[in-house]
Amino acid sequence: MKYCFLVALIFLMSCKNDLKKSQLVKPTSETQKPVEKTIYYLIRHAEKDITDSTNHDPHLTGQGIVRAKNWANFFGDKSIDMVYSTEYTRTIQTVIPTLDQTKLELKFYNPDRLYSKEFLEETQGKIVLIVGHQSSVPNLVNKLLNEQRYNKIEADVYNNLYTVVFESDGSIHGKLEKKDFPDQT
């Protein structure tokens, strides 16, 4: 009788150990694939001509054209893979010098519809530049970060650089920098 009890006890303990081991080791099919590191740079268009208040699609000012060239120089060593812009003249003019340097194709977007599962899949593992507007840029940054961190950009501010990084471990972080270029007045 003692022998049967001892065998049963050993059997139960070995089952318990196997159960713990199986709980610690997850099957490969349940493990999530790592996310590829993805970097988003977001900027507002450069200075626009505001002399005609009825013009809803103004061109850049001379100062705006200088800023657009400065952005191109800044992004020149960032290995940009994709460039997005709204279809407004001021955003397109802001990104043209960068496109000239990188030889990339411009992708147009609607600020209300850019953030989507398809967008995140298409840009995964890439370095992406997005040029937008004083409301759309912080809104998109907030969506990428999944938090309400940034407000509308002030009307006279054109030097904000937002960077959002999706790390391969799944973490996401973002920052806002002011990029003041030496020849920008």
Side-chain angles (χ1 to χ4, degrees):
M1 182 83 160
K2 287 183 184 179
Y3 179 71
C4 289
F5 178 76
L6 185 59
V7 169
L9 185 61
I10 292 171
F11 176 76
L12 287 173
M13 289 186 70
S14 69
C15 289
K16 186 177 177 183
N17 286 341
D18 286 344
L19 181 60
K20 285 183 181 176
K21 286 179 188 174
S22 68
Q23 289 172 339
L24 293 175
V25 180
K26 291 184 179 179
T28 314
S29 62
E30 291 180 16
T31 307
Q32 290 182 341
K33 291 182 179 177
V35 175
E36 294 179 67
K37 183 173 184 174
T38 306
I39 301 173
Y40 298 97
Y41 293 110
L42 298 97
I43 61 171
R44 178 186 181 196
H45 61 77
E47 289 85 343
K48 64 183 179 178
D49 182 356
I50 57 171
T51 57
D52 179 1
S53 61
T54 63
N55 184 357
H56 297 291
D57 191 18
H59 289 256
L60 295 182
T61 63
Q63 187 177 7
I65 291 168
V66 170
R67 184 175 304 280
K69 290 176 184 176
N70 283 326
W71 280 124
N73 291 333
F74 174 79
F75 290 118
D77 65 349
K78 302 291 187 265
S79 301
I80 302 291
D81 296 305
M82 303 174 88
V83 179
Y84 287 83
S85 171
T86 61
E87 293 188 59
Y88 287 91
T89 301
R90 59 195 174 271
T91 54
I92 296 167
Q93 286 182 318
T94 300
V95 80
I96 284 174
T98 301
L99 293 172
D100 288 345
Q101 266 191 332
T102 62
K103 307 299 181 209
L104 293 170
E105 179 184 323
L106 180 58
K107 295 178 176 274
F108 290 110
Y109 74 95
N110 177 325
D112 298 325
R113 292 190 222 126
L114 180 62
Y115 184 79
S116 65
K117 179 181 176 183
E118 292 79 20
F119 169 75
L120 294 174
E121 288 173 356
E122 181 179 335
T123 58
Q124 186 178 53
K126 309 277 191 224
I127 300 174
V128 183
L129 170 60
I130 302 170
V131 181
H133 304 272
Q134 70 185 104
S135 293
S136 66
V137 168
N139 288 342
L140 182 55
V141 172
N142 290 337
K143 287 178 183 179
L144 289 167
L145 293 172
N146 196 29
E147 66 177 82
Q148 185 63 36
R149 187 185 299 182
Y150 300 108
N151 296 318
K152 180 178 177 179
I153 302 168
E154 296 296 322
D156 62 344
V157 174
Y158 298 95
N159 63 342
N160 285 1
L161 170 64
Y162 299 85
T163 306
V164 178
V165 180
F166 284 52
E167 297 289 353
S168 56
D169 65 3
S171 64
I172 304 169
H173 54 90
K175 67 179 177 178
L176 167 60
E177 299 174 77
K178 300 289 186 181
K179 288 314 239 182
D180 294 312
F181 301 110
D183 57 350
Q184 201 71 44
T185 55

